[in-house]
Amino acid sequence: MVIQAGAIQAGQAAMLADLERRCIDAGLKMTGPRRIILQVLREAGDHPSVETVHQRAKEFDSSISIATVYRTLNILDDMNLVRRHEFNDNYARFETNLDHHYHVIDVATGEVQEFQDRKLEASIERIAAALGYELVDYKLELHGRKKTG
Amino acid sequence: MVIQAGAIQAGQAAMLADLERRCIDAGLKMTGPRRIILQVLREAGDHPSVETVHQRAKEFDSSISIATVYRTLNILDDMNLVRRHEFNDNYARFETNLDHHYHVIDVATGEVQEFQDRKLEASIERIAAALGYELVDYKLELHGRKKTG
DNA sequence: ATAGGTGCAAATTCTTTGCTATTAA
DNA sequence: TTAATAGCAAAGAATTTGCACCTAT
């Protein structure tokens, strides 16, 4: 099992080029707002809400509207370039690192932590196959309380 | 691996008494609307939305308001007598069988199917312990496309 | 040139809440 | 009797959308 590590940063940096490339290849115009939003997503090591992405984007161009952020994130989600989460059953949060299928949510603080696990991954693929499904995506959320000591 | 089976029905029937008992023990008044909502939840083999629960409840008493359904489901959720899902990132859906931690969602139809898997369960408990968390709940969603043949 | 994108504000959708009347315990 | 609950309608919060103007290609 591998807990979130620094290596992820490199992975994310590599992703931006991939993100922009895929957007362009998909026929999307590379506009100012869009470029900024992609950059914000690349730099996000967390799971920002739409409003958070908007706030961060406005630091680069204060005229960017939240409607554009919503529209852009929906497009990226449709293209599977971003993963949407609803950790708190309240509003959407996004992540760009698509390797993060597993999350632990601290029920006390709401803090979200990623982890990976190869055995789990193997089980999931085996199960999907057994059920007759071609796996498109999967999410595992552990809700727990941090133990002291 | 065990796919959802008829045995679940017996489990759910047993749950209602448990549900009502727990509600009463928690000091909740057992009112008409509440009793009906609990019955609807017991009889639900699916994952109904608030609106669906409301519609079903209205077949027993057309005067039941959706506000009461929202309030009741929130109480049950707080008491962990029901599990809230957001399969479609749009509105909440609920299930009363708390053994159903695993769901496969057909990306084409939205159909939701439960499954169980002991190996997976063991992995999850191991991981929570390794991360230093006391496991409160967990959810696994597989999003896939049904294979033909 | 033009299809696609943007900002703004209004509209939608889901959910919560204030209030008054009602009711289980 | 009385604290909890219900229904109703209004308020909130998150998200989407119509429209007129703008811009990457």
Side-chain angles (χ1 to χ4, degrees):
Chain A
M1 174 168 39
V2 180
I3 308 293
Q4 176 175 31
I8 285 168
Q9 296 310 321
Q12 286 182 311
M15 278 214 50
L16 178 68
D18 192 41
L19 255 179
E20 286 213 12
R21 173 120 314 280
R22 288 201 196 215
C23 288
I24 291 165
D25 290 353
L28 298 183
K29 284 190 192 171
M30 210 25 74
T31 64
R34 221 163 242 177
R35 216 182 290 279
I36 290 171
I37 291 167
L38 292 182
Q39 178 178 350
V40 165
L41 292 175
R42 171 193 56 182
E43 291 176 352
D46 52 355
H47 309 81
S49 66
V50 175
E51 187 166 324
T52 300
V53 173
H54 183 219
Q55 283 170 350
R56 292 177 188 171
K58 280 199 295 188
E59 288 171 18
F60 297 90
D61 175 353
S62 66
S63 73
I64 292 178
S65 131
I66 198 164
T68 296
V69 178
Y70 271 106
R71 283 190 274 235
T72 303
L73 285 168
N74 283 341
I75 290 169
L76 296 175
D77 185 34
D78 289 346
M79 297 172 69
N80 290 312
L81 297 181
V82 119
R83 185 179 292 115
R84 182 191 303 264
H85 290 281
E86 207 96 4
F87 294 133
N88 54 351
D89 302 310
N90 198 16
Y91 51 83
R93 293 173 61 177
F94 296 84
E95 73 182 341
T96 47
N97 191 318
L98 302 180
D99 292 335
H100 292 170
H101 295 268
Y102 311 116
H103 295 84
V104 202
I105 297 117
D106 189 316
V107 294
T109 66
E111 186 198 342
V112 178
Q113 182 181 8
E114 283 105 9
F115 67 96
Q116 294 182 283
D117 188 286
R118 298 199 192 285
K119 271 189 200 165
L120 218 48
E121 193 132 339
S123 288
I124 285 167
E125 269 154 20
R126 167 177 58 79
I127 289 164
L131 294 171
Y133 278 83
E134 174 199 337
L135 201 56
V136 172
D137 190 20
Y138 57 94
K139 300 175 187 175
L140 174 62
E141 290 180 15
L142 305 195
H143 298 257
R145 217 178 302 274
K146 220 175 241 167
K147 279 188 284 193
T148 56
Chain B
M1 173 167 40
V2 179
I3 306 295
Q4 176 177 31
I8 285 168
Q9 295 310 320
Q12 285 183 310
M15 278 214 50
L16 177 68
D18 193 41
L19 256 179
E20 286 213 12
R21 173 122 310 281
R22 288 203 196 212
C23 288
I24 292 166
D25 289 354
L28 297 183
K29 282 192 194 173
M30 208 26 73
T31 64
R34 221 165 243 178
R35 217 182 290 280
I36 290 171
I37 292 167
L38 291 183
Q39 179 178 349
V40 165
L41 292 174
R42 172 193 55 183
E43 292 175 352
D46 51 354
H47 309 80
S49 65
V50 175
E51 188 166 324
T52 300
V53 173
H54 182 219
Q55 284 170 350
R56 292 178 188 171
K58 279 199 294 189
E59 288 172 17
F60 296 91
D61 176 352
S62 66
S63 73
I64 292 177
S65 131
I66 198 165
T68 297
V69 179
Y70 270 107
R71 282 190 273 234
T72 303
L73 285 168
N74 283 341
I75 290 170
L76 295 175
D77 186 33
D78 289 346
M79 296 172 68
N80 291 311
L81 296 180
V82 119
R83 187 179 291 114
R84 183 191 300 265
H85 290 280
E86 208 99 4
F87 294 132
N88 54 352
D89 302 312
N90 197 17
Y91 52 82
R93 292 173 63 177
F94 296 84
E95 75 182 338
T96 47
N97 191 317
L98 303 181
D99 291 336
H100 292 170
H101 296 268
Y102 311 117
H103 296 85
V104 201
I105 297 117
D106 189 316
V107 295
T109 66
E111 187 199 341
V112 177
Q113 183 182 8
E114 283 105 7
F115 67 95
Q116 294 182 284
D117 189 285
R118 299 198 191 284
K119 269 189 201 163
L120 217 49
E121 193 132 341
S123 288
I124 285 167
E125 270 153 21
R126 167 177 58 78
I127 289 164
L131 293 172
Y133 279 83
E134 174 198 339
L135 201 56
V136 171
D137 190 20
Y138 57 95
K139 301 175 184 173
L140 174 62
E141 291 180 15
L142 306 195
H143 298 256
R145 218 178 304 273
K146 220 176 240 165
K147 280 188 283 193
T148 55

